[in-house]
Amino acid sequence: MIQDVVWDISIALMGSLAAVFAGVAAGAEVPLTNYGPAIASAYRLRIWLFALAIVVLVGVNYRALGALPYIANPAEQSGLAMKRADATGQQWSWTVQPNSFVVGQTVEFYVTSKDVNHGFGLYDPHMHLVAQTQAMPGFTNVLRYTFAQPGTYQVLCLEYCGLGHHIMNTQINVAAR
Amino acid sequence: MTSIEAIGSRSRISATAAVRAYLVVCGIVLLLMMLLGLTMRLAQAQWIDVEPNLFYVIMTMHGAGMVGIAGLGGAAVMWHFVRRYIPVSTGIFIANLVFFLIGAVLILGAGFIGGFAGAWTFLYPLPDHSGGLWSANGAAAYMAGLLVIGVGFLLLHLDIARGIISVYGGLGSGLGVKQAFGFAPEKDGPPPAVAASTMAAISNIIGIVVGAVVLVLSLVNLYVPSFTFNTLVAKNLIYYFGHTFINVTIYMAVIAVYEILPVYTHRAWKTNRAFYLAWVLSTLMVLTVYPHHLLMDFAMPTWILVAGQIISWLSGLPVLLVTAFGTLTNVYRSGLKWDAAAGLVFIGVAGWAIGVIPAIADGTIPVNSVMHNTQWVPGHFHTYLLLGMMAMMLGFMTYLAGPKSPSRLAPLGVWLYLIGGTIFVLAFLAAGSASVPRRYAVHLPAWLPYDRAGSIGASLVVAGALILIVRFLVSLRSPIDATP
Amino acid sequence: MTRGFAPLLGLVLCVGVGALAWATEGFRVITSEGARQVSIARHPIPIPNVRLIDQDGHTFSFGDYHGRTIFVDFIYTRCPKLCGELGDDFRQALSRSDAKNGHVAFLSISFDRADDREALQLYADRYAARAPRWRVAMPYDARGLSMLLQTFGVTVIPDGMGGFVHDGTIYAVDESGRVARILDPGARIAAVPP
Amino acid sequence: MTRGLVLVVWGILWLVRTPLESDMALHMTVQLPLLIGIGYMLATFLRPHEPRWFARADWFGIPGLLLVVFATSFWMLPRMLDLALSDPWIDLIKFASLPLLAGLPLGLSWSRMPGLGRAFLWANFIPKLAAIGGLYLAAPTRLCAYYRLDQQTTAGAALIAVAVALGLSWSAVLFIGSPPFWSKGGENAVERMRGAASGGP
């Protein structure tokens, strides 16, 4: 799960940064007689940190931009064989047609809304968010997803849409092959 | 300190009184809004019963109120320090507070009388689609409240801009553009407070007028529903305004760090070329980074979203490498004596820097696909707003209260705030990585442990904030000291 | 504040707000179309008894509809797009109202002086319009046409390509022969639940 | 002589009103601003004869500029654009009221408005102009009975272009400042600060 990886990395980085701040804070009350050289080496360290940050930045962005979820050319236009499902949000329910699929099938959800902004959040049978797109009046967003496991998936609303926001969900059945 | 002598001591007293008035409003509203936040967490934890209707009203008020006082608190910090370097009008500063209070009354009325629960972002066309639960007048009162508050802030930032231009000739010089690009010696650059204020003025003037446009359009739509406009354009305008306004609050509050920490460490804040370059770039990035709110709007042109991701990453660098690094080197074995004020501003920088990390993670498109609008989002923004921006503001408050006020409890307040805040944001982040959606009045049983941990953290934060704010309010009994 | 400031400010505010309120019918409309909608809902306008000729060549006038509600639209038969939508809408609304009540009639009036009876007939055939339930008609003479356009408040401007730009608005004429309601621009009768 | 020129332009504008009003963009971005401009020019001649009571009551130029806001908003309503086209008398009222109730008070009151107030007005005027343009661009139906949809779209684009041009030039002035950007630095900042502050904040 992406979420777990992101959690691990974030907590590690946040923890290290917190430790640096805590360390500096703990040692701050003891004055340093010779501040000049210390500050000079700190600025040298900053240059290295800057270089490291740029390397990480370029690397991660390069990777991430290779995995964009945006569909420039939906299957129907490009002539690919792919299952189409229409998903429409309306205060406060989802209509997904069709809503049963089989494992391994790649589905393109044509997501739109009849009234206000909604969020089409696809949850797997273990209630992990696996994909999402916004459902907007006047626009149709195409979300492509390949079902990996059998069971009952759920669609939750992921954009606040009024007082029934939390009850706005529907089920999608995915059968084993 | 020559600049201070230029201003008469009488105007200093009234100016200090005005800053105190700002902080009194901020302190009281902050406590109330924190209680609303705690109520939401307790309701999600199923420790108390709150009707979803009321929950969403509370959510809307919590959002609008917190954004409002973040802007107000940031303005108080900025104005207090920047007036050492530029001429500013106390009348306009006070007028902004008056506008704010009028707007706040309208907004509170819209929520608790009109039942408006369209979230603080009033995402078009939701205000006009209440499902019968709030009236057009309720929504209009909310938006009119925001407009009134916007008028005040616009005037304030225009006045700051006027002051900067009158001393430095132009906003470019106020920002240190020449120093940033090596056209002028570093030592002639503007002080940090001026550079930060210039950035805040530029960003907020643009952000607020964009917000005013979308507010007016939404109001027209509310009363003439046949007058519709493009929902995606509206979304862009709203997030442009919302992002800029809330982001800039941190850049205003950080002036407290630049001005207060050196008093403790006896080391001047170094303004070198990297510092000015960081502020120039931050200005550009604050004005262009908002598309990271729209990464799940597939209808957006892809290049804008890609730019949004890259700018999100880049915008973390000045924060981490200049302000956080500058703070660490300034404090490092300086021999300072920690007290509540120094501790809070230091925590503020740490919270800001640390909060940047989960924010950048969420600004990465494949991560955003599975994290957007989960509790990861309140998780990261509470890190840099609660533990960052608000900590700086509370630090400023504590600093103004001075050492004379009762201070035995102050360290306890700081520790409660820090520990409670950490538990609170970690509960959000953990829930977010477990796919718990944000802005849900009712949670599944599986999500309750996060909510309960979050509630405990939130209670501690409220207790800590209560101590610090009451301490500040008590300190007001002593007369204003004309000598700083 | 100086002397005279408050009265002057008050005067400007009163005059300004008053003028804007007048121009927007009390802050409800900003277009002339909207203003007309409001004013007609308040004061229905009697229609002059103009003589028209329908797709079958029969002469009739608005007086003949006494006691019935008529939905009226203004078209021209060469119209490439909008009049087609109007035609479809009338056809659907007619097929739905057939079973329910016989006292609703439909009337499409051509404002194009180039249209003749054959053109009306063709348009009527395209949408299965049968007189007298749905007449496709044109006023007898230019004077009658301009009277009708003025009464209904229809603005027709040449589109520069030999056709016309018009609103495609639908008007409801009440039982006593008055323009009683203007539907929202773009609104269709068939879209309203019966 | 200049005075006469203004009156001549006024007259010519009346004579060419039909071609200028035949297009929505020309109507909104040429005719209306020129009419306001005529009034603004009149103000430069009439300032010495300005009634004392008005000069006194027009505190910081607030009532005068409020009048400008009302008069311009009024004539920019799609309904009033329509009425001006359909009824020559209404058009005549427009030709009189835009110079006299918008341009003239603008010329008289603008100089009384403090810098901050002017900045506030600019900051509100520019984005609202763009917003109106945006509405015209996006509106699916015609707002004026006398203009085609494509004219409305052009007018929207023209308004946005004007707003962008104004916005860019205003930002450039603010950012670079009126003293030459590259010659004057922050070296005298404290001295200038003293000078500015002694004026009293």
Side-chain angles (χ1 to χ4, degrees):
Chain A
M1 301 251 77
I2 298 178
Q3 287 98 321
D4 298 333
V5 178
V6 171
W7 165 262
D8 290 345
I9 294 175
S10 298
I11 289 301
L13 287 175
M14 291 164 77
S16 332
L17 204 49
V20 171
F21 271 91
V24 169
E29 296 201 342
V30 184
L32 187 71
T33 42
N34 202 358
Y35 183 54
I39 196 89
S41 61
Y43 280 122
R44 273 197 301 278
L45 174 65
R46 181 162 78 174
I47 292 174
W48 283 107
L49 283 174
F50 179 73
L52 178 68
I54 292 293
V55 169
V56 171
L57 191 150
V58 171
V60 174
N61 276 276
Y62 184 77
R63 269 293 299 276
L65 295 177
L68 295 184
Y70 314 128
I71 313 291
N73 212 357
E76 296 200 348
Q77 285 167 30
S78 53
L80 292 172
M82 214 172 269
K83 187 95 176 158
R84 173 184 171 137
D86 288 296
T88 306
Q90 190 173 12
Q91 284 175 329
W92 291 284
S93 62
W94 287 107
T95 316
V96 181
Q97 272 305 329
N99 63 355
S100 45
F101 308 98
V102 284
V103 168
Q105 199 165 31
T106 302
V107 180
E108 280 188 346
F109 292 97
Y110 283 62
V111 181
T112 187
S113 162
K114 281 188 178 168
D115 40 39
V116 300
N117 288 279
H118 299 284
F120 179 88
L122 188 61
Y123 279 71
D124 75 5
H126 309 294
M127 282 308 278
H128 288 123
L129 178 59
V130 289
Q132 68 170 311
T133 186
Q134 289 271 305
M136 294 184 69
F139 293 87
T140 300
N141 292 335
V142 180
L143 178 69
R144 193 177 287 173
Y145 184 71
T146 306
F147 286 100
Q149 44 182 312
T152 305
Y153 282 66
Q154 292 208 49
V155 177
L156 268 59
C157 183
L158 284 187
E159 183 63 71
Y160 177 66
C161 59
L163 299 164
H165 174 50
H166 59 283
I167 55 165
M168 185 169 163
N169 57 43
T170 190
Q171 297 191 338
I172 288 177
N173 296 308
V174 177
R177 224 186 327 208
Chain B
M1 289 289 134
T2 47
S3 49
I4 287 184
E5 291 157 16
I7 300 161
S9 71
R10 252 190 65 194
S11 84
R12 182 160 64 242
I13 289 173
S14 66
T16 311
V19 171
R20 282 182 165 194
Y22 265 64
L23 293 180
V24 168
V25 172
C26 285
I28 292 170
V29 178
L30 176 64
L31 272 181
L32 291 176
M33 294 300 134
M34 278 182 163
L35 287 174
L36 292 186
L38 175 63
T39 308
M40 284 193 283
R41 290 309 265 151
L42 289 172
Q44 286 171 334
Q46 295 181 10
W47 277 338
I48 61 169
D49 225 16
V50 177
E51 286 290 305
N53 296 11
L54 183 60
F55 180 94
Y56 290 124
V57 170
I58 289 176
M59 184 187 85
T60 303
M61 295 297 114
H62 174 82
M66 285 299 195
V67 171
I69 58 142
L72 205 64
V77 172
M78 169 179 73
W79 195 83
H80 178 83
F81 290 114
V82 81
R83 63 187 290 279
R84 294 179 175 174
Y85 312 101
I86 59 166
V88 285
S89 153
T90 310
I92 292 293
F93 185 61
I94 293 170
N96 179 40
L97 185 62
V98 173
F99 277 114
F100 180 87
L101 292 172
I102 296 171
V105 168
L106 278 167
I107 289 173
L108 287 171
F112 290 112
I113 300 171
F116 178 71
W120 86 269
T121 47
F122 59 95
L123 194 55
Y124 175 86
L126 182 57
D128 190 37
H129 288 75
S130 69
L133 287 153
W134 63 80
S135 62
N137 291 336
Y142 175 82
M143 294 196 264
L146 285 189
L147 269 178
V148 171
I149 291 175
V151 167
F153 277 111
L154 182 58
L155 283 171
L156 178 72
H157 286 287
L158 284 171
D159 187 53
I160 299 271
R162 188 188 56 82
I164 292 166
I165 291 171
S166 75
V167 176
Y168 292 92
L171 293 178
S173 309
L175 198 55
V177 171
K178 278 178 285 189
Q179 285 73 22
F181 295 107
F183 290 107
E186 288 174 349
K187 63 179 175 49
D188 291 340
V194 172
S197 302
T198 310
M199 184 271 203
I202 294 174
S203 314
N204 261 346
I205 291 170
I206 297 175
I208 289 169
V209 298
V210 170
V213 165
V214 68
L215 278 167
V216 168
L217 293 178
S218 297
L219 275 169
V220 172
N221 168 260
L222 214 50
Y223 286 106
V224 191
S226 63
F227 222 92
T228 56
F229 52 106
N230 186 308
T231 43
L232 190 58
V233 172
K235 212 180 213 176
N236 274 272
L237 296 175
I238 286 172
Y239 284 116
Y240 194 92
F241 152 71
H243 174 85
T244 308
F245 190 83
I246 192 63
N247 200 170
V248 168
T249 64
I250 313 177
Y251 290 93
M252 293 191 284
V254 80
I255 297 173
V257 179
Y258 295 148
E259 295 279 343
I260 294 175
L261 269 188
V263 175
Y264 283 84
T265 61
H266 303 291
R267 288 176 184 162
W269 197 280
K270 256 186 91 86
T271 54
N272 48 23
R273 193 168 158 186
F275 176 87
Y276 293 116
L277 196 58
W279 278 93
V280 172
L281 294 177
S282 289
T283 309
L284 292 176
M285 291 190 290
V286 161
L287 290 173
T288 49
V289 77
Y290 83 98
H292 66 200
H293 290 270
L294 301 168
L295 298 178
M296 288 301 110
D297 284 283
F298 290 14
M300 287 288 287
T302 304
W303 68 268
I304 294 184
L305 301 180
V306 168
Q309 171 183 318
I310 293 172
I311 298 169
S312 288
W313 276 77
L314 285 173
S315 64
L317 291 184
V319 178
L320 289 167
L321 291 173
V322 176
T323 299
F325 204 84
T327 303
L328 289 170
T329 51
N330 194 277
V331 168
Y332 177 72
R333 295 193 62 184
S334 59
L336 61 61
K337 281 267 163 280
W338 284 116
D339 68 4
L344 281 166
V345 293
F346 188 78
I347 289 170
V349 178
W352 187 18
I354 292 169
V356 162
I357 291 163
I360 287 180
D362 191 44
T364 315
I365 296 165
V367 177
N368 197 262
S369 276
V370 292
M371 295 288 221
H372 180 63
N373 280 349
T374 66
Q375 287 197 337
W376 187 267
V377 179
H380 74 63
F381 73 65
H382 278 93
T383 310
Y384 52 72
L385 290 174
L386 177 78
L387 289 174
M389 188 272 154
M390 286 296 171
M392 295 173 195
M393 193 190 82
L394 288 170
F396 174 63
M397 225 180 225
T398 310
Y399 174 73
L400 278 197
K404 271 177 272 176
S405 42
S407 54
R408 199 169 305 161
L409 273 176
L412 176 65
V414 177
W415 281 110
L416 281 174
Y417 193 85
L418 175 63
I419 294 167
T422 307
I423 297 172
F424 175 70
V425 298
L426 284 177
F428 264 147
L429 290 172
S433 62
S435 301
V436 179
R438 75 186 283 208
R439 291 178 166 159
Y440 266 35
V442 181
H443 275 186
L444 295 178
W447 300 338
L448 295 187
Y450 304 112
D451 303 327
R452 295 187 168 164
S455 299
I456 293 168
S459 314
L460 299 178
V461 171
V462 174
L466 183 70
I467 292 173
L468 295 168
I469 291 166
V470 166
R471 179 178 175 276
F472 170 73
L473 294 176
V474 169
S475 79
L476 295 179
R477 285 185 313 180
S478 59
I480 294 169
D481 196 346
T483 53
Chain C
M1 271 176 247
T2 51
R3 235 185 61 203
F5 167 69
L8 184 61
L9 185 74
L11 180 73
V12 169
L13 274 176
C14 287
V15 172
V17 172
L20 285 182
W22 171 80
T24 58
E25 301 285 339
F27 301 101
R28 277 178 298 171
V29 303
I30 53 169
T31 61
S32 40
E33 189 63 31
R36 209 168 155 73
Q37 249 177 332
V38 170
S39 106
I40 282 194
R42 210 182 295 145
H43 310 289
I45 305 176
I47 302 169
N49 209 6
V50 171
R51 285 212 303 162
L52 297 103
I53 180 162
D54 71 9
Q55 67 263 50
D56 302 331
H58 291 137
T59 309
F60 68 100
S61 67
F62 276 90
D64 301 345
Y65 285 99
H66 195 80
R68 289 204 281 174
T69 302
I70 339 170
F71 286 106
V72 180
D73 64 4
F74 287 84
I75 55 140
Y76 67 109
T77 61
R78 293 173 293 128
C79 181
K81 184 159 178 287
L82 184 59
C83 303
E85 288 171 28
L86 285 166
D88 281 334
D89 181 51
F90 271 22
R91 181 171 55 186
Q92 284 172 33
L94 184 67
S95 68
R96 215 170 53 182
S97 71
D98 253 339
K100 297 230 160 40
N101 45 22
H103 79 275
V104 175
F106 297 85
L107 175 57
S108 301
I109 301 175
S110 165
F111 50 72
D112 184 1
R113 295 309 290 163
D115 278 341
D116 53 14
R117 204 187 62 78
E118 279 93 303
L120 299 182
Q121 183 79 62
L122 280 171
Y123 183 89
D125 287 348
R126 211 182 313 157
Y127 301 102
R130 298 279 165 269
R133 282 302 299 284
W134 179 3
R135 285 192 168 107
V136 181
M138 54 194 228
Y140 224 70
D141 49 27
R143 207 178 129 261
L145 174 63
S146 70
M147 277 167 75
L148 280 185
L149 292 183
Q150 205 181 347
T151 310
F152 282 87
V154 179
T155 309
V156 175
I157 50 174
D159 66 1
M161 291 173 291
F164 298 95
V165 177
H166 61 120
D167 260 331
T169 307
I170 296 168
Y171 304 83
V173 176
D174 66 9
E175 285 90 340
S176 35
R178 301 178 306 175
V179 187
R181 202 155 68 86
I182 302 179
L183 275 60
D184 283 331
R188 296 287 168 256
I189 316 172
V192 181
Chain D
M1 195 201 90
T2 335
R3 201 173 307 194
L5 191 67
V6 170
L7 295 177
V8 168
V9 172
W10 204 346
I12 290 177
L13 272 183
W14 177 257
L15 293 177
V16 298
R17 70 192 182 92
T18 318
L20 276 185
E21 286 172 3
S22 69
D23 184 85
M24 194 170 171
L26 288 178
H27 192 167
M28 294 196 75
T29 58
V30 178
Q31 194 200 46
L32 301 188
L34 278 176
L35 285 172
I36 297 168
I38 285 169
Y40 189 87
M41 291 305 291
L42 283 180
T44 58
F45 313 132
L46 295 179
R47 197 188 313 280
H49 311 290
E50 186 185 11
R52 291 267 307 274
W53 66 267
F54 183 76
R56 194 177 51 217
D58 192 26
W59 186 57
F60 285 135
I62 292 171
L65 291 173
L66 199 61
L67 183 61
V68 179
V69 171
F70 278 123
T72 48
S73 315
F74 183 84
W75 290 112
M76 281 210 289
L77 284 173
R79 185 189 184 191
M80 296 319 293
L81 289 177
D82 265 347
L83 276 179
L85 252 77
S86 65
D87 189 338
W89 288 105
I90 302 258
D91 214 16
L92 193 64
I93 296 176
K94 184 183 85 184
F95 264 75
S97 67
L98 269 180
L100 298 179
L101 296 181
L104 185 62
L106 180 66
L108 293 176
S109 303
W110 187 252
S111 55
R112 283 193 277 265
M113 174 67 66
L116 183 64
R118 295 186 201 176
F120 183 76
L121 288 174
W122 274 121
N124 273 285
F125 174 69
I126 294 170
K128 300 275 155 68
L129 198 63
I132 296 173
L135 278 179
Y136 284 177
L137 266 183
T141 50
R142 292 182 308 136
L143 298 170
C144 292
Y146 285 93
Y147 292 118
R148 299 190 308 264
L149 198 56
D150 62 308
Q151 289 181 323
Q152 182 171 309
T153 314
T154 315
L159 289 178
I160 290 179
V162 172
V164 168
L166 286 175
L168 284 180
S169 38
W170 193 50
S171 325
V173 169
L174 290 189
F175 199 78
I176 297 168
S178 20
F181 181 44
W182 301 111
S183 64
K184 265 192 188 172
E187 54 270 288
N188 299 325
V190 174
E191 276 72 16
R192 261 181 286 148
M193 156 77 196
R194 277 187 170 160
S198 61

